[in-house]
Amino acid sequence: MEKGKSDDWLTDDEQRAWRTYVDVGTLLLNQLGRDLEPFDLTINDYEILVNLSESPQRRMRMSDLARTTLQSKSRLSHQISRMEKSGLVRRENCESDRRGLFAVLTEDGWETMRRVAPHHVTAVREHFIDLVPTDDQAALRKALTPVVEHLRAARGRI
Amino acid sequence: MEKGKSDDWLTDDEQRAWRTYVDVGTLLLNQLGRDLEPFDLTINDYEILVNLSESPQRRMRMSDLARTTLQSKSRLSHQISRMEKSGLVRRENCESDRRGLFAVLTEDGWETMRRVAPHHVTAVREHFIDLVPTDDQAALRKALTPVVEHLRAARGRI
């Protein structure tokens, strides 16, 4: 598309910042995904394992898990079904809690998490953290904080 | 997982920078995707429309399009098939060029692009660019440039 058609069009500098941000996102997701392939896990699987493994009794209410992983409930439900088939998690109803269904990490899921986590952290270091000097990490966080706050609020309004 | 198990584990500051980065990515992808829903487009569709509309004769070799959009050739092929069904693009063989297949924007695809682009740019401004002061945009780009260079090089080695 031609530039300058609208006052709202991105300037060259804005375009460069935006493009860099988008490209890192895409490339990083692909790279971290490839690094998890030997373990038969996707990035989404991994994030769920992390969340459950950090929770009391290694379980979370499905609605809390959806909120934490920033997924819709229906997408999370499909995801959990796939992970249930692989034996990593199971669904559980809590008798004393009517607020619904829990996702629970199985013993297999826990062992998988323990095995994979060091590899994933190494990948995050290699492909991101160790490439960004400490000061720039702080600048990155400062730049993105208003965005994350805005997006969380926008999500809450849906 | 417990912290401090390995020297390689992320520090609290690193973890915060990483978490902010990842959360913005997920939230932004969801938000921009929702903003495209009224037009029956996904973010991936939109990116392909942008690339084709900016190319000479509004067409690109499939292999170039895969490289530009950072997708695998097989994933792009599925994507183009879906967009072909919606009438946005078509595949075309070039007689004078044996290096293969092209994806070409249709007249419908071009009209869709012209109609949607201003809305998408407004969304990018509203949910990202206008929330980040100019200096912080520059800092963001500085912080992420070594990452994008590293990831592009890693991708080239596959």
Side-chain angles (χ1 to χ4, degrees):
Chain A
M1 298 294 283
E2 297 153 45
K3 277 173 191 153
K5 272 182 141 180
S6 153
D7 286 346
D8 287 339
W9 219 253
L10 301 191
T11 67
D12 286 349
D13 275 348
E14 287 169 343
Q15 180 70 31
R16 274 190 280 269
W18 173 241
R19 199 65 245 170
T20 304
Y21 177 79
V22 169
D23 283 356
V24 169
T26 311
L27 285 160
L28 200 57
L29 215 58
N30 290 346
Q31 178 68 53
L32 296 177
R34 271 198 302 279
D35 290 339
L36 286 171
E37 273 172 19
F39 304 100
D40 279 329
L41 294 175
T42 67
I43 282 280
N44 289 337
D45 295 339
Y46 183 77
E47 196 184 11
I48 286 172
L49 294 183
V50 170
N51 277 288
L52 294 179
S53 71
E54 287 174 346
S55 297
Q57 299 173 283
R58 297 178 196 157
R59 62 180 213 163
M60 282 179 81
R61 194 168 284 121
M62 289 290 280
S63 50
D64 292 338
L65 191 54
R67 193 164 39 244
T68 308
T69 59
L70 308 170
Q71 289 195 61
S72 70
K73 282 183 196 171
S74 69
R75 214 181 120 193
L76 176 67
S77 184
H78 287 295
Q79 168 87 15
I80 292 291
S81 295
R82 281 194 302 273
M83 294 178 74
E84 217 169 2
K85 274 185 199 149
S86 324
L88 298 169
V89 300
R90 63 172 189 276
R91 284 180 165 88
E92 207 171 75
N93 273 301
C94 181
E95 286 180 22
S96 63
D97 185 337
R98 293 190 180 176
R99 277 176 299 166
L101 213 56
F102 284 72
V104 190
L105 198 63
T106 62
E107 198 55 38
D108 246 27
W110 173 244
E111 284 306 321
T112 301
M113 182 62 207
R114 285 171 59 94
R115 196 161 43 89
V116 177
H119 294 272
H120 181 70
V121 175
T122 301
V124 168
R125 282 214 167 279
E126 179 184 350
H127 303 302
F128 193 92
I129 288 292
D130 289 352
L131 302 167
V132 184
T134 309
D135 285 356
D136 287 347
Q137 283 178 30
L140 180 82
R141 205 174 141 218
K142 174 171 179 283
L144 293 180
T145 294
V147 181
V148 82
E149 285 171 356
H150 161 86
L151 289 169
R152 282 190 192 284
R155 186 167 191 267
R157 283 195 299 271
I158 298 170
Chain B
M1 299 292 284
E2 298 153 45
K3 274 171 191 157
K5 274 183 139 181
S6 153
D7 286 347
D8 287 341
W9 219 253
L10 300 191
T11 67
D12 285 351
D13 275 348
E14 288 170 343
Q15 180 70 32
R16 273 190 281 269
W18 173 242
R19 200 65 246 170
T20 304
Y21 177 79
V22 169
D23 283 357
V24 169
T26 311
L27 286 160
L28 199 56
L29 215 58
N30 290 347
Q31 179 67 53
L32 295 178
R34 270 199 302 277
D35 290 339
L36 287 171
E37 272 171 18
F39 304 100
D40 279 328
L41 294 175
T42 67
I43 283 280
N44 290 336
D45 296 338
Y46 183 78
E47 197 185 10
I48 286 172
L49 294 182
V50 170
N51 277 287
L52 294 179
S53 72
E54 288 174 345
S55 298
Q57 299 173 285
R58 296 177 198 158
R59 61 179 215 164
M60 282 179 82
R61 194 170 284 121
M62 288 289 279
S63 50
D64 292 338
L65 191 54
R67 192 163 41 244
T68 308
T69 58
L70 308 170
Q71 290 196 61
S72 70
K73 283 183 197 173
S74 69
R75 211 180 124 194
L76 176 67
S77 183
H78 286 296
Q79 167 86 19
I80 292 292
S81 296
R82 281 194 301 273
M83 294 178 75
E84 217 169 3
K85 273 185 202 150
S86 323
L88 299 169
V89 300
R90 61 171 190 276
R91 283 179 165 90
E92 207 170 77
N93 274 302
C94 180
E95 287 181 23
S96 63
D97 186 336
R98 293 190 181 175
R99 279 176 298 168
L101 214 55
F102 284 72
V104 190
L105 198 64
T106 63
E107 198 54 39
D108 246 27
W110 173 245
E111 283 307 321
T112 301
M113 182 62 207
R114 285 171 59 96
R115 195 160 44 90
V116 177
H119 294 272
H120 180 71
V121 175
T122 300
V124 168
R125 281 215 169 280
E126 179 184 352
H127 303 302
F128 192 92
I129 288 291
D130 289 352
L131 302 166
V132 185
T134 309
D135 285 356
D136 286 347
Q137 284 179 28
L140 180 80
R141 205 175 141 217
K142 176 171 177 285
L144 293 180
T145 294
V147 181
V148 81
E149 286 171 356
H150 161 86
L151 289 170
R152 282 190 192 284
R155 186 169 191 266
R157 283 195 300 271
I158 297 169

